[in-house]
Amino acid sequence: MTSTLPPVPASLAGRVVAPDDARYERLRHGYVHRGAPAAVLLPEDAGQTAEALRYARSLGSVVSVRSGGHGISGRSTNDGGAVVDVSRLDEVRVLDRARRRIRVGAGARWGRVAQVLGVHGLAVSSGDTGDVGVGGLVTAGGMGWLARLRGLTVDHVTAVELVLADGRFVRTDAEREPDLFWAVRGAGGNFGVVTAVEVEAYETGDVVFANLVFDAGDAAALIEAWGAALEAAPRELTSFLTFMPGGGPGRPQLAHVAAVYAGSAEHGAAERALTPLLGIGPPVQQRAVLAPYPALVPVSGVAHHGQQQLSVTRSGLLDHLTPGAARAVAAGLASGQVLMVQFRSVGGAVNDVDPSATAYAHRTQNFALMSATVPELESGLDAHWARLAPHLNGMYLSFDTRRTPQVLAQAFPEPALSRLRALKERYDPENVFDRNFPLK
Ligand SMILES: Cc1cc2nc3c(=O)[nH]c(=O)nc-3n(C[C@H](O)[C@H](O)[C@H](O)COP(=O)(O)OP(=O)(O)OC[C@H]3O[C@@H](n4cnc5c(N)ncnc54)[C@H](O)[C@@H]3O)c2cc1C
C-alpha cells in the first residue's frame, strides 16, 4: 500500500514500497546505516528507473540511489526521503566471449558477477566482498583482489548507461559524451543513476589465496615490512593488511595479511611471490589454498540492518609505508580509539593508467589505508588522522564517511575537481544527486 504517497504512475505499480508494505523492513536499511525512507522504489529496467527518479523527485525530499546497499558512508538510505533502489537491474551477461565483453546491471552483486564469469574462465576484480553492489563500486573505483595485476574496476569499463537528473537515458563511452564517461568512472554518484555497465573482463584461472596471521606487538615494524615486501613483489601479488581490535591483558594484538597470487601456474611461482610475506613479523598462523576467483568473493545474501558497527571511517592513500607513517598508524592502534586499520596494496596496473583518463586520478600511490571506529570514538579517530596527515597523498572516497570540501580536494586533485564541477553544472544543475559527496 502507498496510501500516504502521491499517486503512483502505472509503470511503477507494485514497485513503490512505503512503510506499511510488508517488503519495507527488508528494504529500508543499508549495511552501515539504518534508515526510514518514505518510499523505496524498485525499478526493473532503465525506463522504469527514469520514472522512479521522476517520482522520487516529486516527493520533494532527499533522493538516495542504491545498488547493493554496502556504501560505507551509508547514504544510500535516508530518513523521510526516497530511495531509488536498482537491485532488480541485476543481469550479468557475457556479450562476446572472444573479446571478453560483458554487461552487468548496476544492481548485481560482485559475488554473482564473479560466479557467472567464472564459468567462462573470466573475472573482473572488484573488491574483497561479494555482497558489494556493482553500481556503488563501479562509479567510484574498485580496489580489489587483483588490483596490482589488473588495475581498478573502473579501468576496464567500456560503456556506462545511466539516467540523468532530467530523466534522459544516456549510454556513454569513449566516443559518446566522453566527458561524462570520464566523470562517471570515479565520481559517478554525482551524475545520475547508473543502470548497467559494459566491462572488458580478463582470463582468470585459479588463484593462490594466502591467509597469514602475525603477532602485531610491534605494529609499526610489521607495517613497514609488509609495505616493503609489496613494493618489491611482482604485480601478480595483491595483498591486504588488517589490524582488528584484540590484545587486552595477556593477549597479543594480531594482524591479518590476506594475499592473492594470480600469476603463472608454473611450479614454484606462487611460492616465490608469497615467501617474502612470511618473514614480515612473528607468525601465528599461515595457510594458502588454490581457489577459483569466485571463492574469494562469496555472496552472503544477508539482509541489511545497519549491522556495521564501525561506521566512522577515514581514508588515505600513501606512496610508501615510511617509518613515520607506520609509527603514526601504530600510535592510532595503541590509542584504543581506532578499532580497525586496513591497508590495501594498489600500484602496479593501477598506476599504468594516465591520471587524466578517469575521474579517479590517483595513479602514483602504492597503498590505500582505511581506519575505522565507532561514533563514540570519532574524536580519537580524528586525532589519529591528524597525525597521519603529513604522510598521505590523496584519498579514496569509498572508504571515508566525511563530506567536507577538504576531503573532496584530496579525493579529486586538480584539475579533476574543477572539471567535475563544470560537468556537474552541465548534467545536474539542480544537484539532485547530492547525497554522496558535495560537488556543488
Ligand atoms: C564490507 C565492505 C567491503 C568493501 N570492500 C571494498 C573493496 O574491497 N574495494 C572497494 O573499492 N570498495 C570496497 N567497499 C566500498 C564499496 O565499494 C562502496 O562502499 C560502494 O559504494 C558500495 O556499493 P553498493 O552499490 O553496495 O553501495 P550503495 O550503498 O548501494 O551505494 C553507495 C553510494 O553509491 C552511489 N550509487 C550506488 N548505486 C548507484 C548507481 N546505480 N548509480 C549511481 N550511483 C550509485 C550512491 O551515491 C550511493 O550513496 C567495501 C564496502 C563494504 C561495506
Side-chain angles (χ1 to χ4, degrees), residues 9-32:
S11 62
L12 294 179
R15 304 184 213 291
V16 178
V17 178
D20 56 358
D21 188 305
R23 295 169 292 176
Y24 183 77
E25 201 49 42
R26 230 188 126 79
L27 292 168
R28 59 188 291 190
H29 306 303
Y31 176 72
V32 177

Side-chain angles (χ1 to χ4, degrees), residues 25 35 64 89 113 133 143 146 152 244 254 281 329 342 354 438:
E25 201 49 42
S64 293
L89 281 74
V113 176
M143 287 177 187
L146 308 178
L152 303 176
M244 294 289 279
L254 298 176
V329 173
Q342 185 169 60
D354 186 314

Side-chain angles (χ1 to χ4, degrees), residues 30-32 64-77 86 106-110 126-129 131-145 153 162 188-195 240 304 308 342 344 396 398-399 435-437:
Y31 176 72
V32 177
S64 293
V65 178
R66 177 161 74 205
S67 292
H70 257 60
I72 286 178
S73 60
R75 299 188 189 107
S76 59
T77 189
V86 298
R109 305 295 181 101
W110 284 107
S126 54
D128 62 352
T129 304
D131 285 334
V132 167
V134 167
L137 183 135
V138 86
T139 48
M143 287 177 187
W145 286 127
T153 313
L162 71 163
N190 249 265
F191 287 91
V193 185
V194 172
T195 55
F240 295 9
H304 292 147
Q308 176 54 263
Q342 185 169 60
R344 280 151 207 259
Y396 177 38
S398 276
F399 291 152
R435 288 281 295 159
N436 208 358
F437 49 91

